[in-house]
Amino acid sequence: MCGIVGYTGKRPVVDILLDGLEQLEYRGYDSSGIALKCADSIKVYKAEGKLKNLREELSSHAYELTKSVTGIGHIRWATHGAPTVVNAHPHTCGCGKLVIVHNGIIENYKELKTELEAKGCKFKSQTDTEAVAHLIASIYGEVKDLTKSVQLAAKKLEGAYALCIMHNDEPGKIVATKRNAPLIIGIGENEFYVASDVPAFIKHTKKAVYLTDNQVATLTAETLKIEDENENEIPVKVEQLPWEPVALSKMGYKHFMLKEIHEQPDVIRNILVGKLHTCDSPIVLDEVKLTRQTLKDLNRIQIIACGTSLHAAMVGKYIIENFCSIPVDVEASSEYIYRKTVTDAHTLVIGVSQSGETADTLTAIKQSKSRGSHILIITNRPDSAMAREADSLVPVSAGIEVSVAATKSYIAQLTSFYLLALYMAEIKGTMAQSDLTNLKSEMLALPQKIEQILAHKENIQKCARKYSNTRDFIYIARGLNYPTALEGALKLKEISYINATGYPAGELKHGPIAMLDETMPVLSILMKGTVYEKLLSNSEEAKARNARMIALTNSTDEKLQDLFDYIITVPDVTELLSPIIAVVPLQLIAYYIAEFLGKDVDQPRNLAKSVTVE
Ligand code: M6R
């Protein structure tokens, strides 16, 4: 989603901004821009599309650009107004002396705009952000102090925002503030950075301050001052970031997505180290701070998440109920937050998020926290806003995921859910020792099994080619692989734009079967176990309607040859762990179809890696 970078110091700012924006561009965006404090004015440069267009735009202004040492930059994922140059950030006030970049959504911008237009402000764009530029500028006209103007303006804003502002009359200064959107200040030697995420400046400094809601930071080359909204100064709490600068390299793969799919065996190995030693030793989850008694007293678990993380949560529900006999509800965060939900001190609330920044999930977590529930966060970003709300944290340690389509973070979330469910089952004594031992032993073998799938991926690639000309695609499964069907369909939709849907196979006959004919591929996730025969019957029903049948299976049953046009075989695995194995070929099918169709695999249209608006 949108990204912010700002810098003030002694060094030329242009490359610092462009490089910082480049580090954020994997998050997804559709236009970009920078504002530079130059000799006698602030200059703004913007472009539609990718950052290379902004670089081209800048190339004809070489001289003035090299002088500037203070600036702010932005990549925009359009919310209000099309992704055009006019709507791209930075936005300016009427006289062009004040510039602003913004992540988030200002919910009362229409009211603000009406008030400001009545005072004579002329708007150029369709964005909510421009209203903030005019608002701060109009206050500045009276108080003549940028920090104070931002403090006063922020009191009038509703919604979510991370803002960075410069004013031509206060050279060398950036003012930054936030509410419900991340903003971090990087501290260098006689220089400061400000960004919506750490990768934007991590190669320059590991010392940082995380702004909290409503704080206002004023940065110059030599000074950093943080105040609350009422001008009370707040001590600067510097943290050492637990990050190494990572070169975002594809390591020879054509796309980050393919590289990240191939990293999955090691991701599982890394998670298991220190947590699952042998099949006879208990699970170690030091980060779970629930006491044994609280765990035993829990009467309910509520899991909230979005997108791929929601699918991991659905598998989580299945296994926690199965292993621990605790009722579990799963809900999309965006639905959860706008109804009366019932959680209390006996409910464990689990938030699942790759980024740890997803606005819907963050809001849901805050709501539950205020009702006294213990909050457990499963995230790939232990430094994120969600992690900061956590009572217990389960870091999934998948490493930075660049491709917008989540793959390795999903496998990492699933693995973490299995560990958590086993950990709780051991404490509650709800599983037989032999079942625990068998499952742990199979978990330790998962990385090699995924490696086997990856070593024979040509068959999956062939399958993808064969079905790449389709407009629609149906995935069916039952039981704990129903979320796998949803995830396979989501992956395909996201990166190939094919209309793919996942169904619980038993539901097919209640409506979706009407769509089946000889043009429709139906992929059946046919893993051996309790629902295998049932799913086979559902597949027969689809075959009888002439659908193009594909099986993803760990069965060697010969009768599958007659029923299916294409069979993808995966290594044998116990039914309870099968979601971790079954999803890998589905990720590859989605990847190869999108790649074959020539789509922008890593940065699909309209999508963002971190969705920081509700
Ligand atoms: O960072 P989160 O896990 O909270 O993100 C949730 C969804 O936005 C995310 O999973 C999205 O669906 C991905 N693009 C899936 O590939």
Side-chain angles (χ1 to χ4, degrees):
M1 198 144 263
C2 304
I4 288 177
V5 187
Y7 171 85
T8 182
K10 310 277 186 228
R11 295 189 289 144
V13 69
V14 175
D15 284 340
I16 295 174
L17 296 182
L18 291 175
D19 186 59
L21 292 176
E22 232 160 52
Q23 301 305 313
L24 299 180
E25 70 175 338
Y26 72 91
R27 299 162 67 102
Y29 68 105
D30 37 44
S31 60
S32 61
I34 59 173
L36 307 171
K37 175 69 187 98
C38 295
D40 48 6
S41 64
I42 290 180
K43 301 250 192 298
V44 176
Y45 305 88
K46 311 200 251 191
E48 274 177 37
K50 300 285 180 194
L51 270 175
K52 73 173 178 28
N53 300 343
L54 180 63
R55 284 190 186 275
E56 268 164 32
E57 168 67 25
L58 289 165
S59 58
S60 50
H61 303 273
Y63 177 72
E64 65 195 30
L65 299 184
T66 53
K67 301 275 177 203
S68 175
V69 291
T70 307
I72 52 179
H74 192 262
I75 48 177
R76 173 176 186 253
W77 185 84
T79 57
H80 296 65
T84 57
V85 169
V86 174
N87 288 331
H89 299 212
H91 287 283
T92 56
C93 65
C95 69
K97 281 184 157 191
L98 182 140
V99 283
I100 186 166
V101 290
H102 165 218
N103 283 2
I105 291 179
I106 303 299
E107 283 165 7
N108 61 336
Y109 83 98
K110 283 197 178 133
E111 293 86 323
L112 292 172
K113 186 173 176 183
T114 310
E115 271 175 41
L116 290 157
E117 280 178 332
K119 286 186 187 165
C121 295
K122 298 265 180 285
F123 280 69
K124 302 180 279 283
S125 75
Q126 287 92 52
T127 64
D128 50 340
T129 308
E130 194 183 351
V132 189
H134 287 293
L135 175 66
I136 302 175
S138 77
I139 299 174
Y140 190 89
E142 288 159 29
V143 302
K144 304 282 181 224
D145 178 277
L146 187 57
T147 305
K148 192 158 188 191
S149 308
V150 172
Q151 276 156 334
L152 292 170
K155 290 186 177 163
K156 296 190 161 200
L157 302 180
E158 287 166 21
Y161 54 79
L163 302 169
C164 286
I165 308 112
M166 300 195 302
H167 197 289
N168 192 50
D169 294 348
E170 301 192 24
K173 184 182 285 182
I174 298 173
V175 177
T177 188
K178 63 148 272 180
R179 191 191 298 158
N180 289 330
L183 207 54
I184 306 137
I185 293 163
I187 301 173
E189 287 292 318
N190 292 323
E191 59 183 14
F192 289 96
Y193 303 81
V194 55
S196 51
D197 201 359
V198 171
F201 61 72
I202 189 69
K203 79 175 194 201
H204 304 291
T205 179
K206 282 188 177 184
K207 286 203 295 186
V209 179
Y210 282 83
L211 282 189
T212 61
D213 283 355
N214 304 319
Q215 290 184 339
V216 179
T218 307
L219 291 63
T220 67
E222 290 83 19
T223 58
L224 166 65
K225 188 174 179 190
I226 301 183
E227 293 171 300
D228 67 13
E229 65 267 50
N230 299 318
E231 299 177 52
N232 302 309
E233 192 162 346
I234 291 164
V236 174
K237 199 172 134 221
V238 180
E239 293 183 31
Q240 193 71 19
L241 294 170
W243 277 69
E244 290 305 324
V246 267
L248 298 182
S249 155
K250 293 184 194 143
M251 307 288 282
Y253 289 97
K254 186 168 177 193
H255 295 100
F256 281 106
M257 182 176 175
L258 191 59
K259 170 182 165 249
E260 287 159 4
I261 291 172
H262 280 79
E263 284 170 353
Q264 295 182 119
D266 282 340
V267 166
I268 299 181
R269 285 190 187 101
N270 287 342
I271 298 173
L272 297 186
V273 169
K275 298 187 174 75
L276 173 56
H277 295 281
T278 67
C279 52
D280 299 317
S281 47
I283 303 283
V284 181
L285 279 186
D286 291 336
E287 306 91 339
V288 175
K289 304 292 181 206
L290 285 158
T291 63
R292 289 183 156 252
Q293 196 51 49
T294 325
L295 255 180
K296 285 188 170 163
D297 291 347
L298 280 182
N299 55 20
R300 191 169 152 239
I301 295 178
Q302 170 77 61
I303 317 181
I304 33 196
C306 304
T308 287
S309 299
L310 181 64
H311 301 153
M314 292 168 76
V315 177
K317 167 188 164 72
Y318 195 101
I319 56 170
I320 294 173
E321 289 190 339
N322 191 311
F323 298 178
C324 315
S325 303
I326 307 176
V328 183
D329 300 315
V330 177
E331 193 165 352
S333 318
S334 52
E335 289 300 311
Y336 182 84
I337 51 187
Y338 292 110
R339 66 182 183 84
K340 186 173 174 228
T341 47
V342 187
T343 51
D344 60 22
H346 298 290
T347 314
L348 169 64
V349 175
I350 304 180
V352 193
S353 174
Q354 186 285 127
S355 63
E357 302 290 354
T358 301
D360 292 318
T361 309
L362 187 57
T363 307
I365 290 301
K366 287 182 178 170
Q367 285 180 0
S368 302
K369 195 171 177 174
S370 69
R371 287 187 219 118
S373 300
H374 186 99
I375 304 292
L376 186 149
I377 300 291
I378 298 179
T379 183
N380 197 27
R381 291 292 302 268
D383 58 332
S384 61
M386 246 178 256
R388 282 158 195 275
E389 296 291 331
D391 300 306
S392 293
L393 184 66
V394 178
V396 305
S397 317
I400 189 157
E401 187 175 64
V402 174
S403 170
V404 166
T407 54
K408 63 174 179 170
S409 63
Y410 180 67
I411 287 272
Q413 289 167 346
L414 290 184
T415 310
S416 302
F417 263 120
Y418 281 94
L419 288 172
L420 181 64
L422 289 173
Y423 172 81
M424 294 197 293
E426 281 178 338
I427 291 174
K428 287 173 68 73
T430 44
M431 266 176 101
Q433 192 53 48
S434 56
D435 292 343
L436 278 167
T437 309
N438 290 341
L439 214 58
K440 286 178 187 173
S441 149
E442 286 234 24
M443 276 186 79
L444 290 164
L446 286 170
Q448 295 95 296
K449 291 186 181 177
I450 298 181
E451 272 161 358
Q452 281 176 42
I453 298 174
L454 296 172
H456 298 102
K457 56 182 187 280
E458 295 71 25
N459 186 38
I460 301 170
Q461 188 171 17
K462 230 168 91 194
C463 176
R465 285 272 159 95
K466 183 166 176 187
Y467 296 96
S468 58
N469 61 352
T470 186
R471 283 181 50 197
D472 307 285
F473 214 116
I474 287 179
Y475 294 74
I476 56 171
R478 296 184 78 144
L480 87 172
N481 275 306
Y482 166 48
T484 315
L486 294 178
E487 178 57 11
L490 178 66
K491 284 291 88 82
L492 187 60
K493 272 188 277 225
E494 283 189 296
I495 59 172
S496 71
Y497 320 139
I498 289 170
N499 174 32
T501 317
Y503 291 109
E507 280 295 299
L508 215 54
K509 58 187 170 297
H510 298 290
I513 203 164
M515 296 184 302
L516 302 191
D517 62 17
E518 63 290 345
T519 66
M520 182 71 85
V522 173
L523 189 149
S524 181
I525 305 169
L526 199 55
M527 304 303 278
K528 287 187 297 182
T530 38
V531 286
Y532 178 83
E533 292 296 337
K534 295 282 171 212
L535 191 57
L536 214 50
S537 307
N538 300 136
S539 305
E540 296 274 9
E541 289 157 15
K543 172 87 174 172
R545 272 81 191 172
N546 296 325
R548 305 166 78 191
M549 299 302 296
I550 308 159
L552 168 62
T553 186
N554 56 347
S555 163
T556 48
D557 190 345
E558 283 191 357
K559 64 176 177 261
L560 301 188
Q561 302 294 339
D562 294 333
L563 178 48
F564 291 97
D565 307 312
Y566 207 103
I567 298 179
I568 296 168
T569 310
V570 292
D572 205 7
V573 63
T574 177
E575 185 184 20
L576 283 169
L577 288 174
S578 60
I580 294 190
I581 294 295
V583 75
V584 178
L586 302 186
Q587 296 168 339
L588 286 167
I589 287 180
Y591 171 78
Y592 283 122
I593 290 182
E595 189 251 356
F596 185 65
L597 295 177
K599 304 294 182 201
D600 188 349
V601 172
D602 287 330
Q603 289 181 20
R605 71 182 184 202
N606 304 339
L607 292 182
K609 185 70 186 159
S610 178
V611 184
T612 48
V613 293
E614 271 185 29

mmCIF file of all heavy atoms in Angstrom, residues 231-262:
data_model
loop_
_atom_site.group_PDB
_atom_site.id
_atom_site.type_symbol
_atom_site.label_atom_id
_atom_site.label_comp_id
_atom_site.label_asym_id
_atom_site.label_seq_id
_atom_site.Cartn_x
_atom_site.Cartn_y
_atom_site.Cartn_z
ATOM 1 N N GLU A 231 1.291 19.710 22.873
ATOM 2 C CA GLU A 231 2.605 20.359 22.942
ATOM 3 C C GLU A 231 3.430 19.960 24.154
ATOM 4 O O GLU A 231 4.387 20.636 24.515
ATOM 5 C CB GLU A 231 2.465 21.893 22.904
ATOM 6 C CG GLU A 231 1.819 22.399 21.625
ATOM 7 C CD GLU A 231 1.624 23.901 21.632
ATOM 8 O OE1 GLU A 231 2.609 24.610 21.897
ATOM 9 O OE2 GLU A 231 0.499 24.343 21.378
ATOM 10 N N ASN A 232 3.082 18.878 24.839
ATOM 11 C CA ASN A 232 3.935 18.393 25.930
ATOM 12 C C ASN A 232 5.055 17.560 25.326
ATOM 13 O O ASN A 232 4.784 16.627 24.551
ATOM 14 C CB ASN A 232 3.135 17.500 26.892
ATOM 15 C CG ASN A 232 1.959 18.251 27.475
ATOM 16 O OD1 ASN A 232 2.142 19.355 28.000
ATOM 17 N ND2 ASN A 232 0.766 17.694 27.344
ATOM 18 N N GLU A 233 6.300 17.885 25.689
ATOM 19 C CA GLU A 233 7.421 17.153 25.100
ATOM 20 C C GLU A 233 7.499 15.746 25.687
ATOM 21 O O GLU A 233 7.271 15.539 26.887
ATOM 22 C CB GLU A 233 8.738 17.904 25.334
ATOM 23 C CG GLU A 233 9.833 17.308 24.499
ATOM 24 C CD GLU A 233 11.039 18.215 24.332
ATOM 25 O OE1 GLU A 233 10.945 19.422 24.634
ATOM 26 O OE2 GLU A 233 12.079 17.682 23.896
ATOM 27 N N ILE A 234 7.829 14.788 24.840
ATOM 28 C CA ILE A 234 7.887 13.378 25.253
ATOM 29 C C ILE A 234 9.328 12.901 25.093
ATOM 30 O O ILE A 234 9.952 13.174 24.056
ATOM 31 C CB ILE A 234 6.942 12.548 24.364
ATOM 32 C CG1 ILE A 234 5.505 12.939 24.695
ATOM 33 C CG2 ILE A 234 7.145 11.055 24.531
ATOM 34 C CD1 ILE A 234 4.513 12.518 23.676
ATOM 35 N N PRO A 235 9.875 12.206 26.112
ATOM 36 C CA PRO A 235 11.250 11.726 25.958
ATOM 37 C C PRO A 235 11.370 10.803 24.742
ATOM 38 O O PRO A 235 10.477 9.981 24.493
ATOM 39 C CB PRO A 235 11.501 10.933 27.243
ATOM 40 C CG PRO A 235 10.356 11.218 28.144
ATOM 41 C CD PRO A 235 9.240 11.805 27.360
ATOM 42 N N VAL A 236 12.461 10.957 24.027
ATOM 43 C CA VAL A 236 12.656 10.154 22.807
ATOM 44 C C VAL A 236 13.158 8.764 23.213
ATOM 45 O O VAL A 236 14.197 8.641 23.858
ATOM 46 C CB VAL A 236 13.670 10.851 21.869
ATOM 47 C CG1 VAL A 236 13.997 9.967 20.681
ATOM 48 C CG2 VAL A 236 13.110 12.189 21.408
ATOM 49 N N LYS A 237 12.397 7.733 22.863
ATOM 50 C CA LYS A 237 12.769 6.370 23.251
ATOM 51 C C LYS A 237 13.379 5.659 22.034
ATOM 52 O O LYS A 237 12.665 5.207 21.140
ATOM 53 C CB LYS A 237 11.504 5.636 23.717
ATOM 54 C CG LYS A 237 11.798 4.422 24.546
ATOM 55 C CD LYS A 237 10.509 3.851 25.128
ATOM 56 C CE LYS A 237 10.484 2.355 24.929
ATOM 57 N NZ LYS A 237 9.224 1.785 24.549
ATOM 58 N N VAL A 238 14.717 5.596 22.026
ATOM 59 C CA VAL A 238 15.390 5.041 20.844
ATOM 60 C C VAL A 238 15.483 3.523 20.974
ATOM 61 O O VAL A 238 15.862 2.997 22.010
ATOM 62 C CB VAL A 238 16.801 5.637 20.691
ATOM 63 C CG1 VAL A 238 17.505 5.061 19.465
ATOM 64 C CG2 VAL A 238 16.713 7.156 20.592
ATOM 65 N N GLU A 239 15.129 2.830 19.895
ATOM 66 C CA GLU A 239 15.229 1.356 19.875
ATOM 67 C C GLU A 239 16.278 0.942 18.853
ATOM 68 O O GLU A 239 16.498 1.629 17.862
ATOM 69 C CB GLU A 239 13.893 0.729 19.457
ATOM 70 C CG GLU A 239 12.808 0.951 20.468
ATOM 71 C CD GLU A 239 11.507 0.254 20.054
ATOM 72 O OE1 GLU A 239 11.545 -0.790 19.385
ATOM 73 O OE2 GLU A 239 10.450 0.802 20.415
ATOM 74 N N GLN A 240 16.891 -0.193 19.126
ATOM 75 C CA GLN A 240 17.811 -0.785 18.164
ATOM 76 C C GLN A 240 16.992 -1.753 17.314
ATOM 77 O O GLN A 240 16.399 -2.689 17.858
ATOM 78 C CB GLN A 240 18.925 -1.521 18.938
ATOM 79 C CG GLN A 240 20.108 -1.927 18.119
ATOM 80 C CD GLN A 240 20.972 -0.740 17.677
ATOM 81 O OE1 GLN A 240 20.893 0.343 18.250
ATOM 82 N NE2 GLN A 240 21.771 -0.952 16.645
ATOM 83 N N LEU A 241 16.928 -1.537 16.025
ATOM 84 C CA LEU A 241 16.064 -2.380 15.195
ATOM 85 C C LEU A 241 16.661 -3.781 15.019
ATOM 86 O O LEU A 241 17.852 -3.908 14.738
ATOM 87 C CB LEU A 241 15.859 -1.753 13.817
ATOM 88 C CG LEU A 241 15.086 -0.434 13.812
ATOM 89 C CD1 LEU A 241 15.151 0.209 12.438
ATOM 90 C CD2 LEU A 241 13.630 -0.657 14.206
ATOM 91 N N PRO A 242 15.832 -4.816 15.196
ATOM 92 C CA PRO A 242 16.348 -6.183 15.050
ATOM 93 C C PRO A 242 16.401 -6.589 13.576
ATOM 94 O O PRO A 242 15.900 -7.625 13.188
ATOM 95 C CB PRO A 242 15.290 -7.008 15.791
ATOM 96 C CG PRO A 242 14.023 -6.236 15.616
ATOM 97 C CD PRO A 242 14.399 -4.780 15.483
ATOM 98 N N TRP A 243 16.941 -5.758 12.747
ATOM 99 C CA TRP A 243 16.884 -5.977 11.301
ATOM 100 C C TRP A 243 18.270 -5.917 10.693
ATOM 101 O O TRP A 243 19.094 -5.118 11.096
ATOM 102 C CB TRP A 243 16.101 -4.835 10.646
ATOM 103 C CG TRP A 243 14.641 -4.968 10.658
ATOM 104 C CD1 TRP A 243 13.833 -4.892 11.753
ATOM 105 C CD2 TRP A 243 13.793 -5.132 9.533
ATOM 106 N NE1 TRP A 243 12.539 -5.004 11.358
ATOM 107 C CE2 TRP A 243 12.472 -5.150 10.000
ATOM 108 C CE3 TRP A 243 14.017 -5.259 8.158
ATOM 109 C CZ2 TRP A 243 11.390 -5.295 9.161
ATOM 110 C CZ3 TRP A 243 12.932 -5.405 7.329
ATOM 111 C CH2 TRP A 243 11.631 -5.426 7.829
ATOM 112 N N GLU A 244 18.500 -6.712 9.691
ATOM 113 C CA GLU A 244 19.672 -6.543 8.850
ATOM 114 C C GLU A 244 19.161 -5.975 7.530
ATOM 115 O O GLU A 244 18.071 -6.345 7.089
ATOM 116 C CB GLU A 244 20.343 -7.892 8.563
ATOM 117 C CG GLU A 244 21.037 -8.511 9.770
ATOM 118 C CD GLU A 244 22.042 -7.591 10.416
ATOM 119 O OE1 GLU A 244 22.721 -6.840 9.695
ATOM 120 O OE2 GLU A 244 22.142 -7.586 11.662
ATOM 121 N N PRO A 245 19.929 -5.078 6.910
ATOM 122 C CA PRO A 245 19.496 -4.640 5.587
ATOM 123 C C PRO A 245 19.435 -5.864 4.670
ATOM 124 O O PRO A 245 20.396 -6.614 4.606
ATOM 125 C CB PRO A 245 20.589 -3.680 5.131
ATOM 126 C CG PRO A 245 21.499 -3.504 6.282
ATOM 127 C CD PRO A 245 21.188 -4.537 7.328
ATOM 128 N N VAL A 246 18.304 -6.109 4.056
ATOM 129 C CA VAL A 246 18.247 -7.276 3.159
ATOM 130 C C VAL A 246 18.250 -6.791 1.721
ATOM 131 O O VAL A 246 17.466 -5.926 1.363
ATOM 132 C CB VAL A 246 16.959 -8.123 3.379
ATOM 133 C CG1 VAL A 246 17.177 -9.238 4.349
ATOM 134 C CG2 VAL A 246 15.793 -7.267 3.759
ATOM 135 N N ALA A 247 19.148 -7.344 0.947
ATOM 136 C CA ALA A 247 19.108 -7.029 -0.468
ATOM 137 C C ALA A 247 17.902 -7.770 -1.017
ATOM 138 O O ALA A 247 17.786 -8.981 -0.849
ATOM 139 C CB ALA A 247 20.382 -7.519 -1.116
ATOM 140 N N LEU A 248 16.966 -7.053 -1.586
ATOM 141 C CA LEU A 248 15.783 -7.718 -2.112
ATOM 142 C C LEU A 248 16.157 -8.357 -3.438
ATOM 143 O O LEU A 248 15.924 -7.812 -4.500
ATOM 144 C CB LEU A 248 14.636 -6.715 -2.264
ATOM 145 C CG LEU A 248 14.173 -6.055 -0.964
ATOM 146 C CD1 LEU A 248 13.003 -5.123 -1.222
ATOM 147 C CD2 LEU A 248 13.790 -7.095 0.071
ATOM 148 N N SER A 249 16.783 -9.529 -3.347
ATOM 149 C CA SER A 249 17.290 -10.168 -4.556
ATOM 150 C C SER A 249 16.446 -11.389 -4.889
ATOM 151 O O SER A 249 16.013 -12.120 -4.005
ATOM 152 C CB SER A 249 18.738 -10.571 -4.314
ATOM 153 O OG SER A 249 19.075 -11.635 -5.155
ATOM 154 N N LYS A 250 16.269 -11.619 -6.194
ATOM 155 C CA LYS A 250 15.478 -12.786 -6.620
ATOM 156 C C LYS A 250 16.336 -14.044 -6.645
ATOM 157 O O LYS A 250 15.823 -15.130 -6.920
ATOM 158 C CB LYS A 250 14.894 -12.539 -8.005
ATOM 159 C CG LYS A 250 13.864 -11.438 -8.004
ATOM 160 C CD LYS A 250 13.239 -11.278 -9.383
ATOM 161 C CE LYS A 250 12.481 -9.971 -9.414
ATOM 162 N NZ LYS A 250 12.578 -9.285 -10.691
ATOM 163 N N MET A 251 17.610 -13.915 -6.365
ATOM 164 C CA MET A 251 18.519 -15.060 -6.282
ATOM 165 C C MET A 251 18.400 -15.982 -7.494
ATOM 166 O O MET A 251 18.370 -17.211 -7.356
ATOM 167 C CB MET A 251 18.233 -15.885 -5.020
ATOM 168 C CG MET A 251 18.217 -15.109 -3.730
ATOM 169 S SD MET A 251 19.841 -14.591 -3.227
ATOM 170 C CE MET A 251 20.471 -16.073 -2.546
ATOM 171 N N GLY A 252 18.288 -15.386 -8.665
ATOM 172 C CA GLY A 252 18.253 -16.185 -9.891
ATOM 173 C C GLY A 252 16.868 -16.646 -10.304
ATOM 174 O O GLY A 252 16.683 -17.139 -11.416
ATOM 175 N N TYR A 253 15.883 -16.506 -9.430
ATOM 176 C CA TYR A 253 14.516 -16.885 -9.821
ATOM 177 C C TYR A 253 13.927 -15.771 -10.676
ATOM 178 O O TYR A 253 14.287 -14.600 -10.532
ATOM 179 C CB TYR A 253 13.634 -17.098 -8.586
ATOM 180 C CG TYR A 253 13.987 -18.344 -7.818
ATOM 181 C CD1 TYR A 253 14.817 -18.287 -6.700
ATOM 182 C CD2 TYR A 253 13.504 -19.576 -8.226
ATOM 183 C CE1 TYR A 253 15.154 -19.439 -6.005
ATOM 184 C CE2 TYR A 253 13.837 -20.737 -7.530
ATOM 185 C CZ TYR A 253 14.655 -20.659 -6.424
ATOM 186 O OH TYR A 253 14.983 -21.800 -5.749
ATOM 187 N N LYS A 254 12.948 -16.138 -11.526
ATOM 188 C CA LYS A 254 12.366 -15.122 -12.395
ATOM 189 C C LYS A 254 11.540 -14.116 -11.580
ATOM 190 O O LYS A 254 11.454 -12.947 -11.927
ATOM 191 C CB LYS A 254 11.499 -15.805 -13.464
ATOM 192 C CG LYS A 254 10.975 -14.849 -14.496
ATOM 193 C CD LYS A 254 10.365 -15.564 -15.684
ATOM 194 C CE LYS A 254 9.776 -14.552 -16.667
ATOM 195 N NZ LYS A 254 8.933 -15.205 -17.659
ATOM 196 N N HIS A 255 10.878 -14.609 -10.544
ATOM 197 C CA HIS A 255 10.047 -13.723 -9.711
ATOM 198 C C HIS A 255 10.286 -14.020 -8.231
ATOM 199 O O HIS A 255 10.642 -15.137 -7.863
ATOM 200 C CB HIS A 255 8.555 -13.941 -10.007
ATOM 201 C CG HIS A 255 8.160 -13.557 -11.386
ATOM 202 N ND1 HIS A 255 8.003 -14.475 -12.390
ATOM 203 C CD2 HIS A 255 7.901 -12.333 -11.932
ATOM 204 C CE1 HIS A 255 7.655 -13.846 -13.502
ATOM 205 N NE2 HIS A 255 7.588 -12.543 -13.252
ATOM 206 N N PHE A 256 9.998 -13.005 -7.406
ATOM 207 C CA PHE A 256 10.092 -13.215 -5.953
ATOM 208 C C PHE A 256 9.137 -14.323 -5.505
ATOM 209 O O PHE A 256 9.450 -15.090 -4.614
ATOM 210 C CB PHE A 256 9.762 -11.923 -5.205
ATOM 211 C CG PHE A 256 10.904 -10.952 -5.179
ATOM 212 C CD1 PHE A 256 10.894 -9.809 -5.960
ATOM 213 C CD2 PHE A 256 12.017 -11.189 -4.379
ATOM 214 C CE1 PHE A 256 11.965 -8.920 -5.940
ATOM 215 C CE2 PHE A 256 13.089 -10.302 -4.347
ATOM 216 C CZ PHE A 256 13.054 -9.169 -5.135
ATOM 217 N N MET A 257 7.965 -14.396 -6.151
ATOM 218 C CA MET A 257 6.998 -15.399 -5.703
ATOM 219 C C MET A 257 7.572 -16.801 -5.839
ATOM 220 O O MET A 257 7.439 -17.634 -4.924
ATOM 221 C CB MET A 257 5.695 -15.287 -6.499
ATOM 222 C CG MET A 257 4.642 -16.278 -6.040
ATOM 223 S SD MET A 257 3.092 -16.048 -6.911
ATOM 224 C CE MET A 257 2.138 -17.412 -6.273
ATOM 225 N N LEU A 258 8.244 -17.071 -6.970
ATOM 226 C CA LEU A 258 8.810 -18.398 -7.175
ATOM 227 C C LEU A 258 9.925 -18.660 -6.158
ATOM 228 O O LEU A 258 10.036 -19.750 -5.592
ATOM 229 C CB LEU A 258 9.342 -18.527 -8.606
ATOM 230 C CG LEU A 258 9.717 -19.937 -9.044
ATOM 231 C CD1 LEU A 258 8.522 -20.886 -8.946
ATOM 232 C CD2 LEU A 258 10.250 -19.951 -10.478
ATOM 233 N N LYS A 259 10.727 -17.626 -5.905
ATOM 234 C CA LYS A 259 11.801 -17.768 -4.909
ATOM 235 C C LYS A 259 11.183 -18.074 -3.540
ATOM 236 O O LYS A 259 11.639 -18.967 -2.825
ATOM 237 C CB LYS A 259 12.603 -16.475 -4.854
ATOM 238 C CG LYS A 259 13.589 -16.404 -3.709
ATOM 239 C CD LYS A 259 14.305 -15.064 -3.702
ATOM 240 C CE LYS A 259 15.012 -14.825 -2.394
ATOM 241 N NZ LYS A 259 14.448 -13.773 -1.575
ATOM 242 N N GLU A 260 10.122 -17.361 -3.199
ATOM 243 C CA GLU A 260 9.538 -17.525 -1.859
ATOM 244 C C GLU A 260 8.856 -18.890 -1.706
ATOM 245 O O GLU A 260 8.887 -19.499 -0.640
ATOM 246 C CB GLU A 260 8.600 -16.344 -1.574
ATOM 247 C CG GLU A 260 9.443 -15.091 -1.311
ATOM 248 C CD GLU A 260 8.746 -13.751 -1.493
ATOM 249 O OE1 GLU A 260 7.530 -13.735 -1.766
ATOM 250 O OE2 GLU A 260 9.442 -12.714 -1.361
ATOM 251 N N ILE A 261 8.296 -19.405 -2.813
ATOM 252 C CA ILE A 261 7.729 -20.765 -2.771
ATOM 253 C C ILE A 261 8.856 -21.763 -2.469
ATOM 254 O O ILE A 261 8.698 -22.689 -1.676
ATOM 255 C CB ILE A 261 7.019 -21.100 -4.108
ATOM 256 C CG1 ILE A 261 5.751 -20.257 -4.265
ATOM 257 C CG2 ILE A 261 6.699 -22.594 -4.199
ATOM 258 C CD1 ILE A 261 5.077 -20.371 -5.635
ATOM 259 N N HIS A 262 10.003 -21.531 -3.117
ATOM 260 C CA HIS A 262 11.132 -22.454 -2.905
ATOM 261 C C HIS A 262 11.768 -22.321 -1.528
ATOM 262 O O HIS A 262 12.502 -23.215 -1.103
ATOM 263 C CB HIS A 262 12.185 -22.253 -4.009
ATOM 264 C CG HIS A 262 11.807 -22.956 -5.278
ATOM 265 N ND1 HIS A 262 10.892 -22.432 -6.156
ATOM 266 C CD2 HIS A 262 12.182 -24.152 -5.790
ATOM 267 C CE1 HIS A 262 10.727 -23.270 -7.166
ATOM 268 N NE2 HIS A 262 11.493 -24.332 -6.971
#
